[in-house]
Amino acid sequence: MNKQSNNSLETQTYFENNSFAFIDDCILQFIKKIKMENNISLINWKPKNKNYPKYMLLSGDKGILAYIDFYVIKLLNDDLSKSIERDSFTLLNQIRIADSQLDRPIFFVYIIETKNKKLVLFETNEQIKDRWLADGLHSPVYTPVIDEMGDLDNLISIWTSMKKSLARKKR
């Protein structure tokens, strides 16, 4: 992923206040800003299966381009890796079920507030599966590799490309 882009949300002001009082409010602010500034449509939906992601990326005609799970983290110390750890079994089970039934990419988006800035990092279901298979990970805890995660600029670029690609196919 491109690590030269500025991942600090201070410059892009995706959040209206300096603390995440409520996780849902933080996510809703992010969705609202990304829609207004990048014309990217994300919606919350009520999945029929608890393993499905809770948000969808829509194309212009309301078709589903991808699914998104958000994780909001207020980092109280400097150990970012430890703060974004996930239960391996739960994560891989979610990916397995969603992959087989939803047939769309899944983005795991981490909105992180530190003492000095706010960050957005993400990885996809494919990145997680590839790493899991290549590294032969057997740990009960999955820790994303921060240097391999995409940032906000990458995320907006990928989502915009997905929308444009679908629009070209429909012509």
Side-chain angles (χ1 to χ4, degrees), residues 79-96:
D79 194 356
L80 179 58
S81 294
K82 195 85 167 148
S83 298
I84 60 177
E85 286 181 346
R86 310 267 314 281
D87 176 85
S88 292
F89 175 77
T90 303
L91 177 62
L92 292 174
N93 192 49
Q94 178 185 14
I95 290 172
R96 181 185 58 79

Side-chain angles (χ1 to χ4, degrees), residues 61 160-171:
D61 66 355
T160 302
S161 294
M162 289 173 76
K163 283 181 60 177
K164 288 179 183 176
S165 176
L166 182 66
R168 276 188 232 116
K169 288 180 184 177
K170 291 185 175 186
R171 289 185 202 164

Side-chain angles (χ1 to χ4, degrees), residues 9-61:
L9 290 181
E10 293 171 334
T11 59
Q12 296 194 16
T13 320
Y14 270 83
F15 302 97
E16 295 169 3
N17 55 33
N18 289 330
S19 67
F20 298 143
F22 300 100
I23 291 173
D24 288 342
D25 287 343
C26 176
I27 294 169
L28 291 175
Q29 284 181 37
F30 178 81
I31 289 171
K32 180 179 171 184
K33 282 285 196 178
I34 211 146
K35 170 77 172 166
M36 287 177 21
E37 295 182 12
N38 304 100
N39 197 27
I40 294 173
S41 183
L42 302 173
I43 65 162
N44 189 350
W45 71 301
K46 304 288 184 222
K48 64 180 180 180
N49 186 317
K50 68 178 180 141
N51 291 301
Y52 291 176
K54 308 295 182 265
Y55 294 85
M56 295 187 289
L57 168 65
L58 300 179
S59 66
D61 66 355

Side-chain angles (χ1 to χ4, degrees), residues 7 114 159:
N7 194 20
T114 69
W159 286 351

Side-chain angles (χ1 to χ4, degrees), residues 130-144:
D130 289 349
R131 180 166 165 244
W132 198 265
L133 293 171
D135 294 348
L137 300 174
H138 300 288
S139 172
V141 175
Y142 173 78
T143 305

